[in-house]
Amino acid sequence: MKAIWQGEILAESDATVVVEGNHYFPASAIHWQFFKASDKNTVCPWKGTASYCDIEVNGKSNKDAAWYYAQPKSAASNIAGYMAFWKGVEVLDQ
């Protein structure tokens, strides 16, 4: 799978985990140069607290377009540290 925004590959992996229709990419698959920590957090009743990142590509910013669970609840332990995308980020089959 590939996550793409503004023509740049943000993440690429054949080991994503699908939860609620979202592909979560392992940390080792993330191209970190495109990410900046956000102060946004949300809480899911069964996954726990999600932290967000802004995506910055070629001078353009996509605020809070990626999220991850650093310390998810036990029901979502399989996505600890994995990142998912939305807000126009395309997730495509390689």
Side-chain angles (χ1 to χ4, degrees):
M1 300 300 296
K2 289 182 184 178
I4 301 169
W5 188 68
Q6 294 294 312
E8 291 287 349
I9 297 172
L10 307 175
E12 187 172 11
S13 177
D14 59 1
T16 62
V17 176
V18 179
V19 177
E20 296 180 327
N22 295 301
H23 283 267
Y24 284 78
F25 289 77
S28 61
I30 305 298
H31 297 207
W32 292 103
Q33 69 269 27
F34 299 116
F35 296 86
K36 182 179 177 184
S38 168
D39 58 3
K40 180 178 174 124
N41 292 294
T42 58
V43 177
C44 171
W46 72 273
K47 290 185 295 242
T49 300
S51 298
Y52 288 76
C53 290
D54 299 339
I55 298 170
E56 298 181 353
V57 172
N58 299 322
K60 294 185 180 180
S61 183
N62 193 347
K63 187 154 180 57
D64 304 323
W67 75 92
Y68 63 94
Y69 294 88
Q71 297 179 328
K73 292 183 177 184
S74 59
S77 62
N78 62 325
I79 57 167
Y82 280 50
M83 186 173 282
F85 304 94
W86 66 326
K87 291 191 170 183
V89 175
E90 293 181 285
V91 177
L92 308 170
D93 217 344
Q94 296 182 11

